[in-house]
Amino acid sequence: MLMKKQLKPRIASLVLALSCGGASGLALADADPIKGQQTSAMCIACHQADGNGKSNAGAESWPRLAGLNAEYIEKQLRDFRGGLRQSATMMPFANMLTEQQIKNVSAYYAQLTPTHTEAVSLTDEQQALGKRLAVRGDWDRYIPACNSCHGPDAAGVGKSFPELAGQHSDYIRQQLHAWKNGSRSNDPNNLMLAVAKRMTEQDIDAVALWLAKQPIK
Ligand code: HEC
Ligand code: HEC
C-alpha cells in the first residue's frame, strides 16, 4: 500500500518532466561538441562556418562566438529565450533549442579558433581614448577600466566576463547601446548598465574600435 502511494507522485513528476521536452527534472548528458556542430547548421548563416561572425557596417552585426567561454554562451542563449536580452533576430533561434542542444552547441563554439575578420582603423584620438578607457578607465567620470572586469588584454575571465578583444566593433557598440536603452538587462547587478550609461558616443566608438583591434589571446 505504502509503495503504491509513493510511486504515484513520482510517476506524475516524471511524466511532467518528459512533457516539458526533458529539460526540467532530468539530468542532461555531458556537452557533446560533435552533436553541437550539427546544431550549428542553424547558426552559420550569420555566425559563419568558422564561428567568427561578421561585421555588417550600418546593419546589425553578427558576433564572434568562436573561443568564447561555453557557460557564457549557454547563459546568453537562455537569456534570449527568457527575454532578459531582447533580440528579434536571436530569440527564435534560441527558442528552437533544447537544454541539451544549448549545452552541445555552446561547447562546439567554445572550442573553435577565434580570428580577426574585420579590418579596423582608428584615428589617433580614438586610439588614445579607447586605450585609456579599456586599460585605466576614467575615474573623474566614474567609468571603471573595462579590463578590470574583462581581464588583462580584455581576454575574458571565466564564465561571467566575456572576451572583448577581437570582437566586432559594431557588435560591441550595439551592446553598449542595448544596455543604455534597456534592451539588454542580463548583466549581474547591472554591472554593465552602470558602465554604459556614463559613456558618450565618442567613448563608445573609440573603445569599440580599440577592443576590436586587440590581439586575441
Ligand atoms: C539570422 C542571423 C542569426 C542566426 C541564424 C543566429 N544568430 Fe546568434 N546572433 C545574431 C545576432 C544579430 C546577435 C546579436 C544580438 C544582439 O544584438 O544582442 C546574435 C547573438 C548571439 C549570441 C550572443 C553572443 C555574445 O557574445 O553574447 C549567441 C551566444 C548566439 N547568437 C548564438 C547563436 C546560435 C547557437 C545560433 C544557432 C542555433 C544562432 N546564434 C543563430 C544573429 C543570428
Ligand atoms: C564591473 C565589471 C565590468 C566592467 C568594469 C565592464 N564590464 Fe562589460 N561586462 C560585464 C559583465 C558581467 C558582462 C556579461 C553580462 C552577461 O552576463 O551577459 C559584460 C559584458 C560586456 C559586453 C558584451 C559582450 C558580448 O559578447 O556580448 C560588452 C560589449 C562589454 N561588456 C563592454 C565593456 C566595455 C567597453 C567596458 C569598459 C568601458 C566594460 N565592458 C566594463 C562586466 C563589466
Side-chain angles (χ1 to χ4, degrees):
M1 259 333 256
L2 190 66
M3 264 189 68
K4 210 173 175 185
K5 261 189 195 158
Q6 282 174 338
L7 213 57
K8 263 192 175 168
R10 289 189 58 195
I11 292 174
S13 65
L14 187 64
V15 169
L16 188 69
L18 288 170
S19 63
C20 295
S24 56
L26 293 181
L28 295 172
D30 287 345
D32 181 343
I34 312 271
K35 288 196 179 131
Q37 180 168 22
Q38 293 161 10
T39 302
S40 77
M42 288 193 259
C43 325
I44 57 179
C46 299
H47 295 285
Q48 308 295 293
D50 64 3
N52 281 298
K54 194 169 173 292
S55 261
N56 299 310
E60 190 177 54
S61 289
W62 302 320
R64 157 166 79 82
L65 305 178
L68 296 184
N69 176 280
E71 285 179 69
Y72 171 79
I73 299 177
E74 287 181 20
K75 173 181 181 287
Q76 301 310 310
L77 291 169
R78 294 190 191 104
D79 289 347
F80 284 124
R81 247 183 0 196
L84 278 175
R85 186 170 171 182
Q86 291 160 27
S87 161
T89 312
M90 262 312 294
M91 194 185 211
F93 292 97
N95 278 340
M96 271 186 244
L97 304 176
T98 63
E99 271 299 302
Q100 187 67 55
Q101 284 174 318
I102 287 185
K103 281 185 88 79
N104 295 346
V105 82
S106 300
Y108 169 68
Y109 279 115
Q111 46 100 61
L112 292 182
T113 307
T115 52
H116 284 100
T117 55
E118 184 191 351
V120 184
S121 61
L122 301 85
T123 63
D124 289 349
E125 203 184 328
Q126 285 172 327
Q127 165 75 27
L129 176 59
K131 183 175 181 180
R132 181 154 57 87
L133 290 171
V135 178
R136 295 211 316 266
D138 184 343
W139 285 106
D140 291 341
R141 294 188 289 143
Y142 300 101
I143 302 175
C146 314
N147 293 7
S148 65
C149 287
H150 289 275
D153 307 310
V157 181
K159 61 179 181 180
S160 299
F161 303 102
E163 181 175 24
L164 301 177
Q167 185 55 278
H168 297 282
S169 62
D170 290 334
Y171 173 73
I172 296 177
R173 204 180 279 119
Q174 280 158 24
Q175 297 311 302
L176 292 168
H177 288 147
W179 272 295
K180 280 184 121 172
N181 70 30
S183 60
R184 184 167 177 178
S185 56
N186 65 341
D187 44 332
N189 301 319
N190 294 327
L191 290 175
M192 271 310 298
L193 172 64
V195 177
K197 73 179 182 193
R198 300 196 175 101
M199 297 177 80
T200 64
E201 285 306 303
Q202 207 189 2
D203 293 333
I204 290 177
D205 272 342
V207 86
L209 290 166
W210 192 82
L211 287 165
K213 204 168 182 173
Q214 297 315 297
I216 301 169
K217 300 278 166 172

